[in-house]
Amino acid sequence: QVQLVESGGGLVRAGGSLRLSCAASGRTFANYNMGWFRQAPGKEREFVAAIKWSGGSTTYYADSVKGRFTISRDNAKNTVYLQMNSLKPEDTAVYYCAAGPTIARIRVDEYDYWGQGTQVTVSS
């Protein structure tokens, strides 16, 4: 069973940056795709970014964050990161990391394991 723990959230002003980390147990990067999702109050959980476990670490981004956010991984540390730049108030949400099979990409129901989430608040 995979365990995921997010960290790095906090309060930041619009235009600022944060880096989220997701520490994964086991060999998740060798067996699973990794993704970042977010959920704002009253909204459904939505896709943010994902990175494949193989095939050159192909990445995917939601249109709303493309060019501002970057997903990456450190296999030696079993950790995936989300670098968030040029943050906007609409980025405010609880951010979750997730692990799924190699076909997992942008849908919530494609992922099997989830962290507890970390709060990101962007003030205007």
Side-chain angles (χ1 to χ4, degrees):
Q1 189 171 6
V2 177
Q3 291 184 336
L4 305 172
V5 180
E6 304 97 335
S7 62
L11 175 64
V12 64
R13 300 186 185 280
S17 299
L18 286 173
R19 188 184 72 166
L20 305 183
S21 299
C22 176
S25 66
R27 298 181 180 180
T28 55
F29 296 137
N31 295 282
Y32 294 94
N33 288 354
M34 301 295 296
W36 285 98
F37 293 76
R38 66 188 182 187
Q39 188 167 21
K43 303 292 183 65
E44 294 188 352
R45 194 166 299 185
E46 66 173 356
F47 170 75
V48 175
I51 186 167
K52 293 181 65 176
W53 70 278
S54 63
S57 299
T58 303
T59 57
Y60 307 92
Y61 295 95
D63 289 341
S64 60
V65 307
K66 193 171 185 178
R68 299 188 298 122
F69 292 8
T70 303
I71 188 171
S72 62
R73 66 184 184 187
D74 186 332
N75 291 335
K77 297 181 179 179
N78 284 334
T79 301
V80 63
Y81 303 96
L82 184 68
Q83 178 66 46
M84 305 185 295
N85 298 325
S86 301
L87 283 162
K88 305 174 181 179
E90 50 262 46
D91 295 318
T92 296
V94 176
Y95 283 70
Y96 300 88
C97 64
T102 57
I103 61 170
R105 185 174 171 179
I106 66 172
R107 291 178 56 86
V108 169
D109 58 10
E110 294 173 340
Y111 290 81
D112 300 316
Y113 304 99
W114 296 85
Q116 295 299 307
T118 184
Q119 177 71 47
V120 172
T121 302
V122 184
S123 63
S124 60

